[in-house]
Amino acid sequence: EVQLVESGGGSVQPGGSLRLSCAGSGFIFSNYGMSWVRQAPGKGLEWVSGLNGDGGSSEYADSVKGRFTISRDNAKNTLYLQLNSLKTEDTATYYCTSTSYCSGSSCSKSRGYWGQGTQVTVSS
């Protein structure tokens, strides 16, 4: 059974930091590009960052560039997202998914593997 399990979310003040983790099992983790996608309350899915299978190539949405860092440890089947300089607009549920990039209709929980999400709340 394929599983992606996110953890590390929480509540922080603006300017704070969090580190999200996504543990994969049931598939060959290193064969897949992986992404973090978020969904703010009342909004659609927004691709945040993606990484190829060996971790050598990463991309970021403009809204998080310079503040978030994606990484992976294939020996541990784990994807990470370091969130720094958090803003209130970063408040969302963060999901990991088995693609290095998605947008529009390709960003759908019916495509690929998805975790259950972890909540990040940024407020003062």
Side-chain angles (χ1 to χ4, degrees):
E1 178 191 5
V2 171
Q3 280 195 317
L4 289 171
V5 180
E6 300 96 337
S7 61
S11 295
V12 296
Q13 294 185 336
S17 298
L18 286 171
R19 190 192 195 203
L20 308 184
S21 298
C22 168
S25 61
F27 65 107
I28 302 175
F29 188 78
S30 60
N31 281 0
Y32 287 78
M34 297 291 294
S35 283
W36 288 96
V37 175
R38 67 187 180 185
Q39 187 167 29
K43 302 252 180 107
L45 294 169
E46 176 192 15
W47 176 84
V48 173
S49 181
L51 193 62
N52 67 340
D54 66 11
S57 178
S58 60
E59 297 288 341
Y60 297 90
D62 287 344
S63 58
V64 306
K65 203 170 290 184
R67 300 188 297 120
F68 292 6
T69 303
I70 191 171
S71 62
R72 65 192 297 163
D73 184 340
N74 286 340
K76 296 182 179 179
N77 288 351
T78 302
L79 179 73
Y80 302 99
L81 188 68
Q82 178 68 40
L83 292 68
N84 295 331
S85 303
L86 280 160
K87 304 177 181 180
T88 55
E89 52 263 44
D90 295 319
T91 294
T93 300
Y94 284 71
Y95 301 91
C96 63
T97 184
S98 59
T99 181
S100 58
Y101 178 75
C102 68
S103 68
S105 61
S106 74
C107 224
S108 167
K109 292 181 184 177
S110 64
R111 302 179 69 155
Y113 308 137
W114 288 73
Q116 84 290 346
T118 187
Q119 178 67 37
V120 172
T121 302
V122 186
S123 70
S124 54

